[in-house]
Amino acid sequence: LKCNPSGLLSLSLGEAKNLPTYPGPNKMRDCYCTVNLDQEEVFRTKIVEKSLCPFYGEDFYCEIPRTFRHLSFYIFDRDVFRRDSIIGKVAIQKEDLQKYHNRDTWFQLQHVDADSEVQGKVHLELRLSEVITDTGVVCHKLATRVLECQGLPIVNGQCDPYATVTLAGPSRQVLHLYGFQAKKTKVKKKTNNPHFDEVFYFEVTRPSSYNKKSHFDIEDVDEVDKMEIRVDLWNASNLKFGDEFLGELRLPLKFLRQSSSYEAWYFLQPRDNGNKSLKPDDLGSLRLNVVYTEDHVFSSDYYSPLRDLLLKSADVEPVSASAAHILGEVCREKQEAAIPLVRLFLHYGRIVPFISAIANAEVKRTQDPNTIFRGNSLTSKCIDETMKLAGMHYLQVTLKPIIDEICQVHKTCEIDPVKLKDGENLENNRENLRQYVDRIFTVITKSGVSCPTVMCDIFFSLRESAAKRFQGDLDVRYTAVSSFIFLRFFAPAILSPNLFQLTPHHPDPQTSRTLTLISKTIQTLGSLSKSKSANFKESYMASFYDYFNEQKYADAVKNFLDLISSSGRKDHKSIEQPILLKEGFMIKRAQGRKRFGMKNFKKRWFRLTNHEFTYQKSKGDHPLCSIPIENILAVERLEEESFKMKNMFQVIQPERRVLYIQANNCVEARDWIDILTKVSQCNKKRLTVYHPSAYLNGHWLCCKATADNTPGCTPCTGGLPANIQLDIDGDRETERIYSLFNLYMPKLEKMQEACGSKSVYDGPEEEEYSTFIIDDPKETYKTLKLIIEGVGTLEQEHAQYKRDKFKKTKYGSQEHPIGDKSFQTYIRQQSEISAHSI
């Protein structure tokens, strides 16, 4: 494999319903929902106030950089004075995610019990040996070695773990006497990957001469089968509530009958009394739509045949016979095909010719200029996806400042007389709304020089195709472009700014209503339709629009559309202004500028633009430190052992100065490292080696070198593309396209069958084939044959990889601990395949 399998998670958090009432007089709750990988929070929704059926309507998309056992969702009730209380949770095992793939599902909320909140694994070695006493009698001794743990949860920001080891008898009672009592390891401070390496001995059977009234008399070795060793992990807490349970392991000793020593990794398990205190239906339910995919990406040469076939799609005549167009025909949703296709073509610089070819074909099929690009075709979805990828920073520059203001100031803009609240003035509201629309319209129509080149090239192509097809309609050259830039780019971004990364959360209901009214007006202004008022079903919107019926608005739109779709447009990157790329709170270690200052950790607001990386005490404060992008020489992860802290990374500057930073979770850490690496990729003095650990107590922890200016001991993980917007792995996208072709193989075969059918040649089309666009059956058949061959070859490679992995992987290894249900499922599938082939 080219890289470790990584997962992509895309989910829509819908709403919760029937939450239990608050015990106070008003019964309502202020709730938010978190998304967790096991117990690590990676996303949090907005707070919905005073509701027992909160609607969130938030989407979350991320690449998951580590393994996990459960995808969990917790609903919290905000408490101003105390810690927020947990109402309930939904926990989906990783191997069950496919059951709910891409469909809205209501999940019952489960009771949250500390004893069932478990993650991590433990490495144990057990040895049962016979010992002959002085009198010649045989006794059995059990040695239990607790080696290490990995991935324990961090509780309230810290983890100081220790393990207890106990031997339990047939009825699960603990054997306390003569060596049977619980043994305890040392506490390991500030780590969730503790190394214990401690051995504990237990006498399992003893001779009858020891038989006293209160002692166990276990002479029969068969009794060993009924005993078990129990390992419990705890977090040593300073709180008055005592130590926190982290997970347990119960192992019957009978498996030591086959082999006297046994060493393996195990997943920690919840206490077996967990989750029994409340009925699940007492707590309400949560609506989710989860899409999780995991890719096994091979090295580039494996994908060459399929990738080359896809990339030459723009040159195939007709384009409907090309591999990329065929993918759009067989996928259930055009969006499914558009996302990997656009990313692949962008990566190889072929997006403009490809979109030009499919758009031209669509325009030729369009009969009415008023319906141009109005459907959810492959062309529309591909242009949408290109604008999202290439135009994200364009939106940030154009819309973010004013949308931030709308969200913060809360001016009332309701113009529907029926919805007016007491004390609101309709004329004031209309004036507030008019000012917002005017300002947003002006920033959009003045932003032509900032529009990304790739979008302008596509718009030029659309304009040319439309003007050539409908020569009698002089406005079609504008409507072809405005249907994308206004209708499918600016208007949706204003309507749902959180989906375009303009705001972190879905706005509150009042702001959302304001943005809806602005979006409707901007959409109509950009559409250039002849009778504007007829566009509105609501009379209050039609009368409000009278403000904007002046010719100057139509002229401004046409000038803007002319600029972004002209072939002679200059590249204005040279006058690039600062673009905000990412911001948020993180914890940083003092850089030691003051000679005697404490190098402690402090929470700071970090801000990254394409010009500099800064931090300040709080959002909006004056920066305490500014690092120009050209001074970022490397951005790398920091080993946890350095400060016993997770999710840390380092920003290396000239003269070996290093800024150590801790992100909130693994997804955030990966995002920051990625974007900092991309934005600094072209720096001339970038480092090739770095120190993966910190310089502490006079030496580097990794290589033990004592000089703080010693060159690094590990190669840097560079090689990302310099273009911020398009950090794309072409092999991964080809792998995703292969997966889609494989998923829809029956449709490919049906399409191939259609190419050979008489009806496609002679018409009329038979009903069962009419779903496919086949302009040239012979060429389409040829391409289909190549696709099916390419997919078949890759399918064989995947099967071989799985077989090899199956042979090499040991159940109980660090990679697949005992208790790994996904691996057990995989073993079962493999044995079924083997039996079938025999």
Side-chain angles (χ1 to χ4, degrees):
L1 285 189
K2 173 180 170 179
C3 53
N4 290 330
S6 71
L8 265 184
L9 176 67
S10 171
L11 62 91
S12 295
L13 269 158
E15 61 197 300
K17 67 179 180 186
N18 304 330
L19 298 180
T21 54
Y22 187 72
N26 72 7
K27 301 192 182 319
M28 292 291 122
R29 293 180 182 271
D30 301 340
C31 295
Y32 62 91
C33 180
T34 68
V35 181
N36 296 54
L37 298 176
D38 298 321
Q39 290 175 64
E40 182 180 12
E41 183 184 316
V42 294
F43 179 71
R44 180 179 290 209
T45 68
K46 64 178 183 291
I47 295 168
V48 177
E49 296 181 337
K50 299 184 179 60
S51 174
L52 297 177
C53 296
F55 176 79
Y56 297 108
E58 297 199 37
D59 297 311
F60 176 60
Y61 176 87
C62 78
E63 195 156 322
I64 294 183
R66 66 171 180 84
T67 56
F68 65 98
R69 289 165 70 183
H70 290 92
L71 180 66
S72 304
F73 304 84
Y74 292 83
I75 300 247
F76 286 86
D77 184 10
R78 180 183 60 180
D79 193 315
V80 180
F81 303 108
R82 296 192 300 270
R83 264 173 66 185
D84 297 348
S85 55
I86 298 182
I87 295 171
K89 72 168 182 181
V90 171
I92 310 171
Q93 289 185 346
K94 182 182 173 183
E95 53 273 14
D96 291 338
L97 286 171
Q98 283 305 312
K99 290 183 194 171
Y100 311 107
H101 187 81
N102 204 11
R103 65 170 202 262
D104 273 12
T105 309
W106 282 97
F107 292 90
Q108 291 286 349
L109 287 170
Q110 305 292 323
H111 182 59
V112 175
D113 168 18
D115 287 350
S116 68
E117 297 293 294
V118 167
Q119 70 179 63
K121 53 194 176 187
V122 59
H123 189 190
L124 287 187
E125 188 179 346
L126 301 174
R127 182 174 277 107
L128 189 63
S129 48
E130 292 182 349
V131 180
I132 301 173
T133 63
D134 296 342
T135 56
V137 180
V138 175
C139 298
H140 287 85
K141 273 199 172 185
L142 175 71
T144 304
R145 185 177 174 206
V146 184
L147 288 130
E148 60 179 312
C149 295
Q150 280 192 347
L152 297 178
I154 290 175
V155 185
N156 301 329
Q158 58 108 44
C159 190
D160 297 337
Y162 68 89
T164 59
V165 185
T166 323
L167 192 65
S171 57
R172 287 275 166 100
Q173 79 271 37
V174 176
L175 308 182
H176 282 296
L177 302 163
Y178 287 94
F180 292 94
Q181 71 271 23
K183 314 288 180 83
K184 180 179 166 184
T185 66
K186 293 185 180 74
V187 175
K188 297 291 179 180
K189 291 278 186 185
K190 288 190 177 175
T191 177
N192 65 338
N193 297 325
H195 287 261
F196 296 112
D197 203 3
E198 294 188 42
V199 185
F200 304 102
Y201 295 95
F202 298 91
E203 291 183 35
V204 179
T205 63
R206 36 171 97 260
S208 55
S209 57
Y210 277 99
N211 192 5
K212 291 178 186 171
K213 208 170 186 181
S214 58
H215 295 170
F216 282 90
D217 174 18
I218 307 177
E219 288 183 313
D220 187 356
V221 181
D222 287 342
E223 286 292 312
V224 174
D225 288 1
K226 296 172 184 171
M227 298 167 76
E228 66 178 19
I229 197 84
R230 197 172 93 197
V231 180
D232 292 78
L233 265 294
W234 300 87
N235 181 31
S237 171
N238 300 323
L239 301 171
K240 59 185 176 184
F241 304 113
D243 297 348
E244 285 132 335
F245 174 77
L246 299 180
E248 72 169 18
L249 196 58
R250 293 175 180 268
L251 296 174
L253 295 193
K254 61 183 174 190
F255 69 84
L256 287 172
R257 295 286 294 278
Q258 283 84 33
S259 163
S260 60
S261 77
Y262 196 82
E263 178 254 331
W265 283 85
Y266 298 85
F267 269 142
L268 286 168
Q269 301 298 335
R271 280 230 182 104
D272 53 9
N273 64 346
N275 265 355
K276 288 187 182 168
S277 47
L278 262 185
K279 292 181 195 164
D281 54 357
D282 292 344
L283 300 174
S285 51
L286 180 65
R287 180 166 62 85
L288 301 167
N289 186 319
V290 182
V291 175
Y292 177 72
T293 52
E294 198 165 82
D295 302 314
H296 293 83
V297 184
F298 296 116
S299 53
S300 276
D301 48 335
Y302 284 86
Y303 296 107
S304 295
L306 186 58
R307 186 177 53 234
D308 294 347
L309 189 64
L310 288 158
L311 289 175
K312 71 175 191 187
S313 292
D315 307 319
V316 173
E317 282 289 339
V319 73
S320 60
S322 69
H325 195 280
I326 287 169
L327 182 67
E329 288 298 289
V330 295
C331 281
R332 194 164 57 101
E333 301 282 341
K334 302 288 185 207
Q335 182 84 354
E336 266 185 308
I339 292 173
L341 282 175
V342 164
R343 294 173 73 88
L344 182 75
F345 283 111
L346 271 169
H347 182 67
Y348 288 101
R350 301 280 296 147
I351 192 70
V352 176
F354 170 63
I355 285 182
S356 300
I358 58 172
N360 201 27
E362 186 176 325
V363 169
K364 283 178 182 169
R365 284 194 292 271
T366 306
Q367 300 305 315
D368 179 356
N370 294 315
T371 62
I372 198 162
F373 300 126
R374 287 299 162 96
N376 283 326
S377 62
L378 184 64
T379 308
S380 304
K381 291 297 182 189
C382 283
I383 296 174
D384 286 356
E385 200 54 37
T386 306
M387 292 192 300
K388 254 189 189 171
L389 279 169
M392 201 58 86
H393 305 302
Y394 175 39
L395 280 178
Q396 297 268 342
V397 174
T398 314
L399 295 181
K400 188 169 172 48
I402 190 164
I403 284 185
D404 282 346
E405 185 189 317
I406 293 167
C407 292
Q408 286 156 14
V409 177
H410 289 292
K411 278 187 185 174
T412 53
C413 296
E414 183 54 73
I415 57 170
D416 181 354
V418 178
K419 291 184 178 174
L420 277 189
K421 291 180 183 165
D422 291 344
E424 284 185 5
N425 180 298
L426 185 61
E427 278 313 307
N428 286 352
N429 288 6
R430 282 166 70 102
E431 180 55 23
N432 288 342
L433 186 62
R434 189 189 68 74
Q435 286 181 10
Y436 277 147
V437 171
D438 238 339
R439 284 172 62 194
I440 285 185
F441 178 79
T442 304
V443 295
I444 289 173
T445 51
K446 291 273 170 65
S447 71
V449 293
S450 305
C451 186
T453 312
V454 70
M455 285 169 62
C456 296
D457 292 343
I458 288 168
F459 295 150
F460 172 67
S461 164
L462 299 182
R463 176 188 177 125
E464 293 296 291
S465 284
K468 191 174 172 186
R469 171 82 172 89
F470 301 105
Q471 291 172 7
D473 190 325
L474 296 178
D475 276 342
V476 77
R477 67 184 59 201
Y478 295 115
T479 52
V481 178
S482 70
S483 63
F484 286 104
I485 195 79
F486 281 101
L487 200 71
R488 306 175 82 112
F489 187 63
F490 284 122
I494 296 164
L495 185 66
S496 305
N498 56 308
L499 299 185
F500 293 81
Q501 294 167 26
L502 296 173
T503 58
H505 299 302
H506 197 71
D508 61 79
Q510 184 191 319
T511 307
S512 206
R513 173 68 178 158
T514 300
L515 293 173
T516 302
L517 295 169
I518 296 170
S519 180
K520 280 184 172 184
T521 316
I522 290 291
Q523 189 173 314
T524 308
L525 272 167
S527 69
L528 291 170
S529 57
K530 306 290 189 296
S531 63
K532 298 295 174 96
S533 303
N535 282 7
F536 298 109
K537 295 171 192 162
E538 312 94 337
S539 57
Y540 64 84
M541 280 303 295
S543 62
F544 172 70
Y545 196 81
D546 290 340
Y547 284 129
F548 304 98
N549 258 334
E550 297 174 43
Q551 187 58 35
K552 67 175 184 180
Y553 289 103
D555 291 344
V557 170
K558 286 185 175 179
N559 288 339
F560 169 66
L561 296 173
D562 278 335
L563 180 59
I564 63 169
S565 62
S566 65
S567 61
R569 182 182 170 279
K570 291 184 180 66
D571 189 351
H572 290 269
K573 282 184 182 168
S574 54
I575 51 168
E576 197 176 22
Q577 57 200 93
I579 298 170
L580 178 66
L581 302 176
K582 190 167 175 63
E583 60 180 346
F585 274 114
M586 292 191 287
I587 292 166
K588 66 112 197 154
R589 183 177 187 251
Q591 297 185 76
R593 292 202 179 115
K594 296 174 188 166
R595 195 164 174 192
F596 301 108
M598 283 280 289
K599 289 193 180 180
N600 53 357
F601 287 88
K602 286 183 178 166
K603 192 174 186 180
R604 293 288 181 254
W605 181 264
F606 283 82
R607 205 165 178 276
L608 175 67
T609 71
N610 53 336
H611 291 186
E612 61 182 355
F613 182 45
T614 60
Y615 61 78
Q616 51 230 57
K617 263 194 176 173
S618 297
K619 188 175 182 179
D621 287 358
H622 188 73
L624 298 170
C625 171
S626 169
I627 304 170
I629 295 302
E630 58 270 23
N631 280 359
I632 298 176
L633 306 186
V635 184
E636 297 288 347
R637 293 191 180 281
L638 185 72
E639 285 178 357
E640 193 181 315
E641 289 307 306
S642 296
F643 300 108
K644 309 283 191 208
M645 290 163 73
K646 277 176 79 75
N647 303 321
M648 286 201 73
F649 63 94
Q650 49 184 319
V651 178
I652 306 169
Q653 303 159 63
E655 296 164 15
R656 303 278 167 194
R657 294 231 344 265
V658 185
L659 176 59
Y660 296 121
I661 303 173
Q662 183 187 33
N664 299 318
N665 56 60
C666 63
V667 172
E668 273 288 291
R670 184 187 177 111
D671 284 353
W672 275 107
I673 292 167
D674 277 359
I675 198 152
L676 280 162
T677 303
K678 279 171 236 160
V679 80
S680 62
Q681 192 69 42
C682 293
N683 291 351
K684 292 186 173 64
K685 294 182 180 174
R686 270 191 73 85
L687 298 179
T688 53
V689 288
Y690 78 107
H691 290 285
S693 289
Y695 183 78
L696 291 173
N697 305 325
H699 69 272
W700 291 100
L701 297 182
C702 38
C703 58
K704 308 299 181 226
T706 52
D708 62 354
N709 61 353
T710 306
C713 55
T714 304
C716 285
T717 54
L720 287 162
N723 188 336
I724 298 157
Q725 296 124 343
L726 312 177
D727 168 28
I728 293 165
D729 181 336
D731 298 330
R732 175 164 287 165
E733 300 311 323
T734 315
E735 167 65 27
R736 285 180 187 151
I737 292 170
Y738 146 75
S739 298
L740 285 170
F741 274 137
N742 203 25
L743 178 66
Y744 294 111
M745 186 55 76
K747 277 194 172 183
L748 284 171
E749 288 165 348
K750 191 147 192 151
M751 199 173 179
Q752 201 175 27
E753 191 183 306
C755 289
S757 78
K758 195 168 186 298
S759 61
V760 170
Y761 280 95
D762 303 338
E765 292 183 4
E766 281 177 35
E767 199 58 43
E768 60 176 324
Y769 298 139
S770 62
T771 49
F772 304 122
I773 292 175
I774 302 173
D775 296 318
D776 184 332
K778 198 173 173 184
E779 282 302 313
T780 309
Y781 186 89
K782 273 189 209 167
T783 309
L784 281 161
K785 190 166 180 287
L786 291 170
I787 292 170
I788 291 166
E789 282 170 9
V791 169
T793 306
L794 277 169
E795 176 65 4
Q796 285 170 3
E797 293 294 346
H798 277 277
Q800 188 59 48
Y801 164 74
K802 285 180 178 175
R803 281 194 295 272
D804 292 346
K805 191 167 184 283
F806 177 64
K807 283 176 198 163
K808 289 175 196 164
T809 304
K810 179 187 164 198
Y811 190 43
S813 65
Q814 190 172 354
E815 191 185 5
H816 292 291
I818 291 169
D820 182 351
K821 291 187 178 167
S822 57
F823 186 65
Q824 288 172 304
T825 309
Y826 176 64
I827 287 174
R828 195 169 61 248
Q829 288 168 349
Q830 289 301 315
S831 55
E832 284 167 8
I833 291 165
S834 312
H836 180 69
S837 60
I838 288 164

